[in-house]
């Protein structure tokens, strides 16, 4: 419980004490240096805070395959979702400007939603098809402008070691932008927090970045069922890694 209290206190202090001055600095950076520089600066700040959280949580982190991620283009990262630490760890590992797709409800959380705006996050309304399509189209636009997108196609956290069905709609991000897909497998993230809420327990997390998938190399039938293909790829990797955790 002590770890949980310390992490919460750190987050509260950051939001209440440092956020407003940093917002002003980011606004000035955006005006003087442009939005790309502002995004890089904001993401560096968020990644720093997330690394502190990982350290305070006592997480041992093992990363495989980061060398597979292309460094010269925007990427669609497709990952399984087991807990909050998927996002926290993911942000500390991605090499370029990257926005996560989050559920719409987070958009109404003060301070947090402002930071998510600065780091190119998008908010998806899972209950409104029209609004959901707008989010996907905005994601495609950002990918074409060089901003990577990180998505959890299950739509919510899985409570078991079997993944929920991947939503095919999110695969349109890659199909319409031409960006490669990098499958990302998280193992052990749920053990840190969700499995013993509200405690934060030290543990070992494994993250695996798979080989990129290029849309132009896929057959028509593979494109139609790309979500299922990515789910199978990530599930197979998860099953291989889990006994080693």
């Amino acid at each position: 419980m002590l770890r949980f209290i310390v992490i919460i206190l750190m987050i509260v202090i950051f939001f209440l004490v440092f956020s407003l001055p940093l917002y002003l600095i980011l606004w000035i950076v955006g005006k003087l240096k442009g939005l790309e520089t502002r995004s890089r600066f904001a993401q560096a700040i968020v990644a720093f805070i997330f690394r502190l959280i990982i350290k305070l949580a006592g997480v041992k982190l093992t990363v495989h395959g980061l060398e597979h991620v292309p460094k010269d283009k925007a990427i669609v990262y497709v990952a399984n979702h087991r807990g909050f630490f998927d996002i926290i760890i993911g942000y500390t590992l991605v090499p370029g400007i990257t926005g996560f797709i989050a559920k719409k409800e987070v958009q109404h959380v003060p301070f947090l939603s402002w930071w998510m705006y600065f780091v190119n996050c998008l908010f998806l309304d899972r209950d409104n098809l029209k609004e959901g399509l707008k989010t996907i189209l905005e994601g495609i636009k950002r990918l074409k402008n060089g901003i990577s997108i990180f998505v959890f196609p299950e739509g919510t956290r899985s409570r078991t070691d079997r993944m929920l069905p991947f939503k095919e709609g999110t695969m349109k991000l890659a199909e319409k932008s031409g960006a490669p897909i990098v499958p990302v497998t998280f193992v052990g993230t749920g053990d840190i927090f969700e499995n013993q809420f509200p405690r934060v327990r030290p543990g070992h997390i494994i993250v695996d970045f798979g080989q990129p998938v290029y849309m132009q190399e896929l057959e028509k039938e593979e494109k139609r069922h790309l979500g299922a293909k990515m789910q199978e790829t990530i599930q197979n990797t998860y099953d291989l890694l889990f006994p080693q955790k």
Side-chain angles (χ1 to χ4, degrees):
M1 181 64 80
L2 181 60
R3 289 179 186 272
F4 176 74
I5 293 173
V6 171
I7 290 171
I8 292 298
L9 283 175
M10 188 199 73
I11 293 172
V12 169
I13 291 171
F14 172 74
F15 280 142
L16 296 183
V17 178
F18 297 107
S19 276
L20 289 178
L22 286 172
Y23 291 151
L24 178 59
I25 293 172
L26 287 170
W27 182 82
I28 294 172
V29 169
K31 290 294 184 181
L32 297 179
K33 299 294 186 178
L35 297 181
E36 181 177 344
T37 301
R38 186 186 74 181
S39 294
R40 292 187 183 279
F41 186 27
Q43 189 164 313
I45 294 171
V46 171
F48 173 76
I49 296 300
F50 283 173
R51 288 189 185 98
L52 285 180
I53 292 174
I54 292 168
K55 186 175 183 64
L56 289 171
V59 170
K60 176 187 176 184
L61 184 62
T62 300
V63 182
H64 302 302
L66 195 56
E67 69 277 6
H68 296 156
V69 180
K71 305 299 190 296
D72 59 344
K73 60 190 68 178
I75 307 295
V76 177
Y77 297 96
V78 173
N80 64 312
H81 196 17
R82 294 298 311 279
F84 290 117
F85 274 82
D86 299 331
I87 301 167
I88 291 172
I89 289 173
Y91 245 121
T92 67
L93 297 177
V94 290
I97 299 177
T98 304
F100 278 62
I101 293 185
K103 57 185 180 181
K104 181 185 177 183
E105 290 77 4
V106 182
Q107 192 173 10
H108 305 296
V109 179
F111 295 108
L112 176 59
S113 59
W114 300 348
W115 276 102
M116 293 178 74
Y117 165 76
F118 279 130
V119 293
N120 296 287
C121 288
L122 295 169
F123 302 96
L124 180 64
D125 188 340
R126 294 173 294 182
D127 300 320
N128 188 317
L129 185 60
K130 184 177 180 181
E131 291 302 315
L133 179 58
K134 287 182 181 179
T135 301
I136 296 299
L137 291 174
E138 177 61 27
I140 293 168
K141 178 181 176 182
R142 295 190 186 191
L143 284 161
K144 289 181 177 180
N145 289 330
I147 299 172
S148 297
I149 300 292
F150 206 118
V151 61
F152 300 101
E154 291 169 280
T156 188
R157 297 190 303 274
S158 171
R159 267 52 175 188
T160 72
D161 294 328
R162 309 312 298 175
M163 294 166 198
L164 301 173
F166 279 24
K167 293 176 171 54
E168 296 288 345
T170 55
M171 298 300 115
K172 296 294 182 183
L173 289 164
E175 183 179 347
K176 299 300 182 182
S177 68
I181 298 175
V182 172
V184 184
T185 307
F186 290 99
V187 180
T189 50
D191 295 336
I192 306 302
F193 181 57
E194 281 77 10
N195 292 352
Q196 62 278 328
F197 175 85
R199 296 180 180 86
V200 173
R201 182 176 297 169
H204 182 200
I205 292 176
I206 303 174
V207 185
D208 182 271
F209 290 83
Q211 294 284 353
V213 175
Y214 295 88
M215 295 297 296
Q216 62 268 28
E217 297 177 0
L218 298 179
E219 300 292 336
K220 184 176 180 180
E221 192 64 20
E222 289 181 303
K223 292 179 182 179
R224 286 184 57 193
H225 303 287
L226 187 55
K229 175 182 174 66
M230 289 297 99
Q231 180 178 354
E232 181 181 13
T233 298
I234 294 172
Q235 184 70 64
N236 288 342
T237 303
Y238 183 95
D239 293 340
L240 286 172
L241 292 174
F242 186 75
Q244 304 173 27
K245 189 175 75 70

